[in-house]
Amino acid sequence: MTADRMDTDHIAADRTSHDWDAVVIGTGPAGMAAAAALAEGGARTLVVDEQPEIGGQIYRAIERNRNHSRLARILGADYLRGAPLAERLRASGAEISLGTLVWRIDEERGVWIRRHGAIERVSARAVVLATGAMERPVPTPGWTLPGVMGIGALQIALKSGGLVPAGRLVLAGSGPLFLLFARQCLAAGVRDMVLLDTSDSTHLLGGLPLLPRALTGEGWRYLLKGAGLLAALRRAGVPFYRGVRDIALEGERHVTAIRFVHRGGAARLACDTVGLHEGVIPQQQITRSLGCAHEFNPAQGSFRPVLGASGTTDLPGIHVAGDAGGIIGAQASAHDGNIAALAILRDIGRLAPEAAERRIAAETRARHAHLTVRPFLDRLYPPRAEILAPADDTVICRCENVTAGALREAVGRGVTGPNQAKAFLRCGMGPCQGRLCGPTATAIIAAATHRSPEETGYYRVRTPLKPVTVGELAGLADHGAPNAERNRERPS
Amino acid sequence: MTTGRQHDLIVVGGGLIGSAIAWGAARTGADVALLDEGDVAHRAARGNFGLVWLQGKGVGAPAYMHWSLRAGHLWRDFAQALVDETGIDIGWSQPGGLQFCFSETELDARRRVAAATRADGGDIEIEILDRAALLERVPAIGPQVVGASYSLLDSHVSPLYLLRALQQGLQTRGGTYFPTARVSALRAEPGGFAADTARGVVRGRRIVIAAGLGAAALAPQLGLSMPVRPERGQIIVTERVKPFFSYVGSGVRQTAEGSFLIGSSHEEAGFSEETDVTTAATLCAAAVRAFPQIADVNVVRQWGSLRVMTPDGKPIYEESQRHPGAFAATCHSGVTLCSAHAFVLGPAIATGTLPDAVACFRSDRFDVQAH
Amino acid sequence: MFRRIEPAPAAGTLVFDGRSIAFQAGDSVATALIAAGVERFRDHPRDAAPRAPYCMMGVCFECLVEIDGRQNQQACLIPARDGMVVHVQTGARQIPERGHDR
């Protein structure tokens, strides 16, 4: 270990371009707020994002679109909340590095990045992981066909390119984004749109006890917005099927139709584009790769890293802010970013403890006001059961075309967890590195072995977290290769 | 899970060695119980490079060389039998192995290996290829490669599918695979042995400990000795590439799926399975020297796993003198020796004996060396 | 198929499998291609089935294309640039089998 570690330090030192007080990963609401607050507090701060523009996914292309009156109107007031945040980040003095992939983080808070085709390591006294959420994978028969996308993905096309689907659009799913995007399509002039709501109306009853609390704080605004979206869609006469299940996509080279069951009867609609959505889940690749403890949150049906106050992980100096730590939404995420930043400023001696506590308390109250509605929404919109228990012939691992049935068969032969399943089936071994099958694999194995998702566990996530090439890694070996000779001598 | 039924053979350890012995024993009709850990056990099979590598193996240790070569010659029949019984494509092919040399000094070293192997009567042809001869076989080779040693006996396989097939083959033969049955204690009883596992007690007339690094603590409980330590190996795997390099390379090979495997390292890192950038860089640099064209290929994963090393790097096979019927087996070449473990060792242990060929691999050889 | 809610002036042109595609400022390669009606980005390495962007945010790796001779590039993460030459990614990456020195 010792010789190895010295080598690592040698390369790391050689490749480390700057030592920062803080490196923030992600420029969504949490990342923008964290980086701005850190820089405002005097910390030398670098914020990176793999996209070419700041904003993350929720405020995607905010700096371009805020002045685009039509698109700004379509996307709505909540989207435009990203504009002052972006301004704040720009004015804060934080260094912003876009088009920058993070492919590894080491225990010494070294962040390995690739930008402009070159690899560097940036080290910091504190790292804020503000990597946000991704759409929950929705394994559905035919979901690998071109023309089938996440509703979040369709919304990204709208934000980043002013694009809306032409021809018939079917949106199938549930949750706030499902309704919001439908409304945005309406405003954008999409005429031929059908909504298949997969939420179960019985969940409304279960959610009622949570409703009083949901009306407190800022919660009522979310509920009012939801009611407004529904009313607008109804006024416009958008076909709206409720309680839809057993969805399947048809097509040879591109989706051509969607099948589903509605009120006990089979239905089929020809279509040109399908958007699927069953909520969002935290992006856990980085925290998993670092070996941080994770827990399963049954209310949200997803894993999240175990975090302390102000987003601390079990690794010193590594914080998580925003949806990456559990789904809290954009506005609470911005407060979360502020909280992490204030705690870091305190820890590195840039902010007096009393001032930090006072400001953290205020941010925590503001954050909490946005969370009152969350338990109600979580109860109202759980993911539809069939995506957690897909039919045997449904592909769950898109990269390696592994089906739910193949996984169940392996479990029947004694595979007890996701890692053995990965080894035996290549499930999760493709380029997406298990992002699109991990949640499903855990759910299927848990069900088949009568254990909880937490007991079942999750893939061990390996670096590189994003693609780097063999040549880029080889290029780091300019300092001689002490192990190479031995490796050739002892090949097996 | 305990039924009070006494199995003919308990195999402690569901890795490549234990699973091969278990399948081999079950093929002779024995009722075998294979005890394995859960999802996140240290698994050397996960970190195996997948080589059946024989050229140069056991130079200076003829018994090891001959045992390995026997395994090498058994591989074709072994792979066929496994595929026939399970229907699982284990990705085995035998295009021959190439060890690339980047200097005349390295090439001379390979010549000496070939000569030493001949002198010890090794049943293997090792051909030395100069650059021109190598280019005939591998036109894509990089400019820094001056030659290679080549053996037709070398082959490669997916170690993960191999493990899966062995465990499935065992079940097909009526054996029982017990996952999440980590063994906490072993003891001798009248007429057999008992294993305390996380899922209850399992009993058997005979027992073999093939628990990798876990054997160090378990073996002494039955009068056996397994002085093993971990050695970390890191491997890099790339995205799929269309068929490019069909041979088995010593540090870089292309799998049946198309991925390149690049590796692996040899490190003293205790029980850490972490990875580091220096090792990744070193491994990739060597691969690019062999094949400059793979520089643009994306890396998908880098991981570390623990090999099971004995003090002299050779296997240990022994039967307990205090408790006859209790055996132990370990080696760091779980793939290369897999055929012999399944076809020779497993059937012998099922009948309560060790093959003569492995009689010299007892652990007491280390006691002698210590004095 | 997609359409723009408002036409904007072209910021440049890329070539996709021989076809010229004008793109707008801010377009990623993926955005430019779907706006132009491209339905198939790659053929899957296992079954050669057509695949196209699914997540648009860099996590699904379904939008892989060849850009300026480099294969398996994530179209949704790479900004469109004038003169870019883009091709469908047909199955697994292909690398030349011949060395450079003979």
Side-chain angles (χ1 to χ4, degrees):
Chain A
M1 189 68 181
T2 47
D4 204 21
R5 174 47 42 88
M6 282 167 57
D7 284 349
T8 303
D9 287 347
H10 194 52
I11 281 196
D14 192 60
R15 294 281 162 176
T16 302
S17 53
H18 287 287
D19 284 321
W20 298 88
D21 287 326
V23 172
V24 178
I25 299 165
T27 61
M32 286 197 289
L38 282 160
E40 289 159 0
R44 287 167 302 126
T45 303
L46 172 70
V47 57
V48 303
D49 199 301
E50 63 188 351
Q51 295 292 336
E53 297 174 281
I54 63 173
Q57 304 310 331
I58 192 82
Y59 300 139
R60 180 100 176 220
I62 184 67
E63 294 184 299
R64 273 192 291 137
N65 293 340
R66 58 182 307 183
N67 299 320
H68 185 304
S69 56
R70 171 122 199 258
L71 196 47
R73 210 165 46 244
I74 290 168
L75 292 171
D78 280 337
Y79 172 75
L80 292 172
R81 286 178 199 277
L85 210 44
E87 270 171 37
R88 181 183 165 206
L89 174 63
R90 292 285 182 193
S92 70
E95 181 164 322
I96 302 169
S97 179
L98 299 171
T100 302
L101 297 177
V102 172
W103 59 272
R104 180 187 178 95
I105 301 183
D106 60 44
E107 305 87 355
E108 287 81 31
R109 294 178 302 282
V111 179
W112 293 83
I113 60 177
R114 194 188 78 187
R115 53 179 167 183
H116 316 306
I119 284 182
E120 290 167 63
R121 177 180 181 273
V122 292
S123 69
R125 298 170 73 183
V127 174
V128 180
L129 307 176
T131 49
M134 58 177 271
E135 293 189 271
R136 183 193 304 278
V138 285
T140 301
W143 72 313
T144 57
L145 284 167
V148 181
M149 299 167 77
I151 289 180
L154 293 172
Q155 196 192 36
I156 289 169
L158 175 60
K159 290 170 179 170
S160 64
L163 287 168
V164 288
R168 174 176 287 166
L169 168 66
V170 175
L171 300 181
S174 76
L177 181 61
F178 168 70
L179 296 175
L180 174 63
F181 183 66
R183 178 71 185 85
Q184 289 169 338
C185 283
L186 203 56
V190 174
R191 292 288 160 252
D192 194 359
M193 174 167 62
V194 178
L195 303 186
L196 308 183
D197 186 343
T198 59
S199 62
D200 181 339
S201 57
T202 60
H203 292 139
L204 186 58
L205 286 175
L208 284 180
L210 301 167
L211 191 54
R213 182 171 168 232
L215 291 164
T216 65
E218 298 285 323
W220 62 276
R221 292 184 198 277
Y222 292 88
L223 297 176
L224 196 62
K225 180 179 177 184
L229 295 174
L230 273 169
L233 292 165
R234 193 169 301 131
R235 269 198 311 278
V238 176
F240 202 122
Y241 296 76
R242 290 177 189 278
V244 164
R245 54 184 180 80
D246 295 339
I247 293 170
L249 293 321
E250 290 179 7
E252 286 293 318
R253 309 283 295 171
H254 192 270
V255 67
T256 53
I258 182 166
R259 281 184 281 115
F260 56 95
V261 171
H262 178 243
R263 290 185 181 155
R268 183 178 179 280
L269 289 171
C271 59
D272 300 292
T273 306
V274 172
L276 301 174
H277 183 76
E278 297 290 339
V280 297
I281 59 174
Q283 296 235 41
Q284 47 183 328
Q285 297 295 107
I286 292 182
T287 47
R288 288 274 178 192
S289 79
L290 283 166
C292 295
H294 286 69
E295 63 192 355
F296 191 79
N297 176 357
Q300 299 194 331
S302 55
F303 282 103
R304 65 182 175 196
V306 177
L307 302 178
S310 62
T312 50
T313 65
D314 41 17
L315 297 173
I318 296 187
H319 297 246
V320 177
D323 279 348
I327 302 306
I328 55 177
Q331 294 189 66
S333 289
H335 294 298
D336 223 27
N338 286 333
I339 292 168
L342 293 165
I344 291 166
L345 289 170
R346 176 197 61 204
D347 294 346
I348 64 174
R350 291 262 174 199
L351 187 60
E354 314 78 58
E357 292 321 311
R358 198 177 63 247
R359 291 176 60 189
I360 286 174
E363 288 290 339
T364 303
R365 279 193 301 278
R367 174 186 188 274
H368 182 75
H370 290 285
L371 298 184
T372 53
V373 74
R374 198 53 56 183
F376 177 71
L377 292 179
D378 291 340
R379 183 69 63 88
L380 198 57
Y381 299 122
R384 66 181 151 103
E386 62 205 61
I387 65 160
L388 300 177
D392 275 348
D393 55 359
T394 305
V395 167
I396 60 166
C397 168
R398 300 172 60 110
C399 295
E400 293 288 330
N401 280 356
V402 180
T403 63
L407 178 55
R408 290 194 183 102
E409 192 203 343
V411 173
R413 292 185 183 278
V415 164
T416 59
N419 293 293
Q420 205 61 9
K422 181 172 160 182
F424 282 3
L425 300 174
R426 295 185 61 81
C427 187
M429 274 200 186
C432 97
Q433 295 162 310
R435 287 169 172 89
L436 270 285
C437 66
T440 317
T442 293
I444 289 174
I445 296 170
T449 57
H450 310 290
R451 290 176 304 165
S452 68
E454 195 156 307
E455 291 168 311
T456 304
Y458 195 78
Y459 293 140
R460 278 202 249 188
V461 173
R462 314 291 192 176
T463 60
L465 300 162
K466 292 281 173 162
V468 293
T469 67
V470 175
E472 286 164 345
L473 287 173
L476 297 172
D478 296 336
H479 305 285
N483 289 337
E485 299 301 317
R486 296 181 59 198
N487 291 341
R488 280 202 305 281
E489 289 306 309
R490 296 162 60 185
S492 71
Chain B
M1 81 185 209
T2 315
T3 58
R5 151 181 160 202
Q6 189 187 49
H7 299 275
D8 295 330
L9 177 65
I10 299 172
V11 180
V12 181
L16 280 171
I17 298 169
S19 299
I21 293 170
W23 179 61
R27 293 180 86 234
T28 66
D31 170 21
V32 179
L34 177 60
L35 309 183
D36 200 2
E37 291 189 56
D39 192 48
V40 290
H42 290 300
R43 286 186 191 279
R46 277 194 198 141
N48 195 294
F49 204 63
L51 301 186
V52 179
W53 190 264
L54 295 153
Q55 52 167 299
K57 180 150 289 189
V59 169
Y64 182 38
M65 175 190 289
H66 292 300
W67 175 239
S68 299
L69 290 173
R70 185 170 171 191
H73 290 288
L74 284 172
W75 249 94
R76 180 172 297 281
D77 289 345
F78 163 72
Q80 191 60 51
L82 196 53
V83 172
D84 287 347
E85 289 194 19
T86 65
I88 295 173
D89 178 1
I90 59 174
W92 182 76
S93 67
Q94 192 174 30
L98 287 165
Q99 178 148 341
F100 300 125
C101 297
F102 296 89
S103 67
E104 284 302 329
T105 313
E106 285 183 18
L107 207 52
D108 281 341
R110 297 309 291 169
R111 286 191 182 96
R112 286 195 297 276
V113 163
T117 302
R118 267 195 307 279
D120 280 336
D123 182 12
I124 179 174
E125 291 294 321
I126 303 174
E127 193 180 345
I128 303 298
L129 307 176
D130 63 12
R131 181 168 174 83
L134 181 56
L135 277 169
E136 291 298 317
R137 291 181 181 273
V138 190
I141 203 72
Q144 293 185 47
V145 182
V146 302
S149 59
Y150 173 70
S151 160
L152 195 55
L153 194 57
D154 299 329
S155 61
H156 58 168
V157 68
S158 161
L160 301 175
Y161 288 171
L162 173 61
L163 180 62
R164 178 184 165 203
L166 289 168
Q167 293 179 357
Q168 186 166 320
L170 168 71
Q171 294 172 64
T172 305
R173 287 284 185 165
T176 314
Y177 172 69
F178 293 104
T180 63
R182 185 188 169 85
V183 173
S184 54
L186 299 173
R187 58 182 185 279
E189 298 180 329
F193 300 90
D196 294 332
T197 83
R199 294 173 60 186
V201 180
V202 179
R203 294 196 156 78
R205 199 149 62 90
R206 298 194 176 91
I207 191 166
V208 55
I209 301 170
L213 295 166
L218 292 173
Q221 299 175 21
L222 294 178
L224 294 153
S225 173
M226 280 274 148
V228 290
R229 65 179 168 81
E231 182 195 81
R232 186 170 69 189
Q234 295 183 47
I235 296 182
I236 308 265
V237 64
T238 72
E239 63 189 351
R240 288 169 186 260
V241 176
K242 293 195 173 91
F244 167 79
F245 174 52
S246 63
Y247 292 89
V248 185
S250 56
V252 54
R253 73 179 186 94
Q254 191 173 17
T255 67
E257 289 88 20
S259 304
F260 280 95
L261 283 184
I262 299 170
S264 65
S265 61
H266 296 268
E267 308 154 63
E268 299 298 328
F271 282 84
S272 163
E273 292 183 329
E274 300 294 302
T275 60
D276 67 275
V277 174
T278 295
T279 303
T282 305
L283 295 174
C284 287
V288 169
R289 278 209 295 170
F291 294 113
Q293 301 91 327
I294 71 171
D296 283 340
V297 176
N298 285 324
V299 172
V300 177
R301 269 186 312 287
Q302 175 189 5
W303 72 98
S305 71
L306 305 180
R307 289 188 199 87
V308 183
M309 294 304 289
T310 60
D312 62 2
K314 297 178 185 66
I316 297 174
Y317 305 106
E318 66 180 4
E319 180 174 10
S320 173
Q321 290 173 332
R322 182 145 41 98
H323 300 292
F327 299 85
T330 195
C331 70
H332 67 82
S333 296
V335 168
T336 298
L337 296 177
C338 196
S339 54
H341 291 161
F343 277 8
V344 183
L345 186 61
I349 286 177
T351 63
T353 59
L354 278 180
D356 292 342
V358 303
C360 60
F361 294 118
R362 297 183 49 82
S363 67
D364 57 13
R365 69 183 186 267
F366 305 117
D367 305 338
V368 174
Q369 282 173 0
H371 291 290
Chain C
M1 292 288 283
F2 287 80
R3 64 176 174 81
R4 307 263 186 190
I5 58 167
E6 261 176 10
T13 303
L14 59 78
V15 178
F16 177 75
D17 279 354
R19 169 187 163 200
S20 284
I21 290 178
F23 59 85
Q24 296 187 2
D27 277 356
S28 65
V29 173
T31 312
L33 295 187
I34 64 173
V38 171
E39 294 184 342
R40 159 182 163 252
F41 279 53
R42 64 171 185 140
D43 297 331
H44 196 273
R46 291 205 76 158
D47 61 3
R51 294 285 177 99
Y54 177 77
C55 79
M56 292 294 277
M57 56 178 276
V59 302
C60 77
F61 290 76
E62 292 286 15
C63 64
L64 300 177
V65 291
E66 180 184 321
I67 300 178
D68 292 338
R70 298 191 67 191
Q71 297 174 54
N72 281 348
Q73 302 297 301
Q74 288 180 273
C76 75
L77 287 181
I78 298 175
R81 275 190 293 272
D82 197 38
M84 249 180 185
V85 178
V86 183
H87 288 285
V88 162
Q89 174 72 39
T90 50
R93 178 188 291 266
Q94 180 148 31
I95 53 179
E97 284 180 45
R98 293 275 145 180
H100 302 295
D101 64 326
R102 59 183 336 227

